[in-house]
Amino acid sequence: MIHKEVPIGVSARHIHLSQEHVELLFGAGYELTEMKPLSQPGQYAANETVAVVGPKGSFAKVRILGPTRKQTQLEVSRTDAFALGVNPPVRESGDTKSSAGIKLQGPAGEVVIEEGVIVAARHIHFHTSDAERFGIADKQSLRVRFAGERGVIFENVVARVSDQFALDMHIDTDEANAAGVKNGDKAEIID
């Protein structure tokens, strides 16, 4: 039997911007600059941040993750959503149809997005070779056990399989805090 252990990455609030919104917020022709690479190949935390402003509250410095995407998307925890005064759905990254909106402020301007705010569904990125080794299919719903001091079983963990991914489970800060998980901890896929 294969031991199905995966590393965990705790995902704090962050935003993915379209190039159009980068330029509206930072100036015409602006390009994001890399601060540090992330666990997924080609992805990085940018040096740049933006303010996000909701009906009830705001966060002054939300980290931008690069590279740019086709569509702007803000990922927050449920606690962040309460603080902002928005009610985003739990969704897979990229699924922003009919999600919450928010105002973004940068050094060169501001943008109001009508949709694009989500609470990211917990998920595991699998390289195709890891998925084959574990017998996991893309979009499969998994159960994953974290056996720490405040051990939990995470239900409804979405498998995301691509030859562009590196093996890594992503949960948000609310989930991590509740279970006592920190970056680099390991979990086990149980089914």
Side-chain angles (χ1 to χ4, degrees), residues 79-100:
T79 299
D80 290 341
F82 291 142
L84 291 168
V86 295
N87 187 21
V90 175
R91 297 268 181 84
E92 282 188 60
S93 183
D95 181 4
T96 59
K97 187 170 176 53
S98 301
S99 61

Side-chain angles (χ1 to χ4, degrees), residues 59-131:
F59 297 117
K61 293 185 181 226
V62 174
R63 182 71 51 203
I64 301 169
L65 301 187
T68 57
R69 293 195 176 177
K70 290 179 187 168
Q71 190 175 355
T72 292
Q73 173 179 290
L74 173 64
E75 296 180 36
V76 296
S77 69
R78 185 62 63 201
T79 299
D80 290 341
F82 291 142
L84 291 168
V86 295
N87 187 21
V90 175
R91 297 268 181 84
E92 282 188 60
S93 183
D95 181 4
T96 59
K97 187 170 176 53
S98 301
S99 61
I102 201 88
K103 182 192 290 184
L104 311 174
Q105 295 175 329
E110 64 181 40
V111 174
V112 175
I113 57 170
E114 298 301 319
E115 60 185 25
V117 183
I118 64 168
V119 173
R122 59 182 79 104
H123 58 279
I124 301 175
H125 292 276
F126 290 91
H127 186 273
T128 47
S129 62
D130 293 314

